[in-house]
Amino acid sequence: QPLCGFSNAVVQILRLHGVEDYRAHDVLQDPDLRQGIKNYSNWPTIPQVYLNGEFVGGCDILLQMHQNGDLVEELKKLGIRSALLDAEKDQEKK
């Protein structure tokens, strides 16, 4: 369960693309873990998104990737077909 609006936005974006296989960790309960992940990625905000273990960015970056189509391409590299592609095909048929 997302505990903040930014985390919720990340989850909603993933769901829009049909991504079901992801993990989330609550870093709000442990200040050392929260700071540690920021230090690890050299990124100042939470949530942080990793695709196949590679740091992508925060909510703002994922939203931008979603809006400009880059997320579809990144998911494709991981062998994940975005559900939005199927939705677009269904829309074209109508």
Side-chain angles (χ1 to χ4, degrees):
Q1 285 287 38
L3 298 176
C4 75
F6 297 111
S7 295
N8 185 52
V10 167
V11 168
Q12 294 305 317
I13 291 168
L14 293 175
R15 287 180 181 162
L16 276 172
H17 287 270
V19 176
E20 297 175 2
D21 186 17
Y22 62 88
R23 293 186 307 195
H25 301 279
D26 179 6
V27 298
L28 297 178
Q29 300 301 316
D30 184 343
D32 291 334
L33 179 60
R34 184 172 55 246
Q35 188 57 48
I37 194 73
K38 291 177 182 182
N39 293 345
Y40 176 79
S41 64
N42 197 27
W43 192 260
T45 61
I46 302 291
Q48 296 187 1
V49 179
Y50 293 78
L51 297 177
N52 203 29
E54 184 177 330
F55 179 66
V56 174
C59 176
D60 54 341
I61 300 298
L62 195 69
L63 178 59
Q64 182 180 33
M65 291 174 70
H66 165 68
Q67 291 172 334
N68 68 20
D70 288 346
L71 186 54
V72 170
E73 294 303 315
E74 289 302 313
L75 292 173
K76 186 177 181 180
K77 291 176 187 176
L78 300 173
I80 300 170
R81 179 176 169 78
S82 172
L84 291 182
L85 295 175
D86 296 331
E88 285 176 5
K89 281 186 180 180
D90 290 345
Q91 199 64 357
E92 289 172 4
K93 290 179 183 178
K94 292 181 180 180

